[in-house]
Amino acid sequence: MGSGQWMVEKRSGLENDSFLKEHETAPESGCLSIIVLGASGDLAKKKTFPALYHLYRQGFLHPDEVHIFGYARTRISDDELRDRIRGYLGKEAEVVSKFLQLIKYVSGSYDTEDGFQLLDKEISQHEVSKNSAEGSSRRLFYLALPPSVYPT
């Protein structure tokens, strides 16, 4: 094959994957909570939230199925976080505003359980409000954290 040419290789189906065999009964019908740890930082503001916004704008994140939770040490409100990231999302004010309403912010420490318990409570309340059957909700965690918060 010469340079500039692509080769397509068909792989065996995912049905053979041992992970899927073990977890094939896991339902995926509940709501999806995306949790951004480090939500008040530059990485989240400039990259993570804009990427999530583009997925939303393209129809991959449906507002009736997805909610985004930001978690960080900074003590700010939901609206303050939304204001911080608004300028990085785009020019379509109405679409941006609808996306920003999907975001809830929880403040807490990374080295104690209290903040994470509050975060879990907020996520659980949202899941219940969406009438998700127990065990059907999904949680995706994204770590936009500085190295200083990781234990040695």
Side-chain angles (χ1 to χ4, degrees):
M1 179 165 76
S3 66
Q5 294 179 342
W6 292 87
M7 183 178 90
V8 177
E9 177 183 334
K10 184 172 179 165
R11 296 185 180 189
S12 62
L14 290 176
E15 306 84 44
N16 298 330
D17 188 348
S18 62
F19 177 81
L20 289 178
K21 286 181 183 177
E22 290 176 25
H23 299 88
E24 62 189 334
T25 60
E28 290 189 3
S29 58
C31 65
L32 170 64
S33 297
I34 299 174
I35 300 96
V36 179
L37 300 178
S40 64
D42 276 351
L43 175 62
K45 176 175 64 175
K46 294 177 181 176
K47 300 292 182 180
T48 308
F49 286 114
L52 292 171
Y53 169 72
H54 287 292
L55 289 172
Y56 170 81
R57 197 181 72 192
Q58 294 171 11
F60 292 109
L61 300 178
H62 300 280
D64 53 337
E65 298 173 0
V66 174
H67 202 72
I68 301 167
F69 293 87
Y71 182 86
R73 297 175 291 194
T74 307
R75 298 213 180 274
I76 57 174
S77 68
D78 296 346
D79 288 333
E80 287 173 312
L81 177 64
R82 292 174 186 141
D83 289 342
R84 284 183 177 200
I85 62 177
R86 183 182 309 275
Y88 293 90
L89 300 181
K91 304 292 183 203
E92 302 163 345
E94 185 177 329
V95 179
V96 168
S97 291
K98 288 180 181 179
F99 170 76
L100 289 173
Q101 291 309 305
L102 298 176
I103 299 173
K104 169 100 176 116
Y105 182 76
V106 178
S107 175
S109 176
Y110 296 117
D111 58 357
T112 64
E113 291 182 22
D114 296 342
F116 290 110
Q117 288 172 344
L118 178 60
L119 176 63
D120 180 57
K121 179 181 173 186
E122 294 287 342
I123 297 168
S124 295
Q125 286 176 346
H126 174 72
E127 291 168 348
V128 167
S129 75
K130 290 295 185 179
N131 297 319
S132 291
E134 187 175 342
S136 69
S137 296
R138 298 160 289 155
R139 295 180 180 184
L140 183 143
F141 290 84
Y142 184 84
L143 280 65
L145 300 171
S148 61
V149 302
Y150 289 97
T152 51

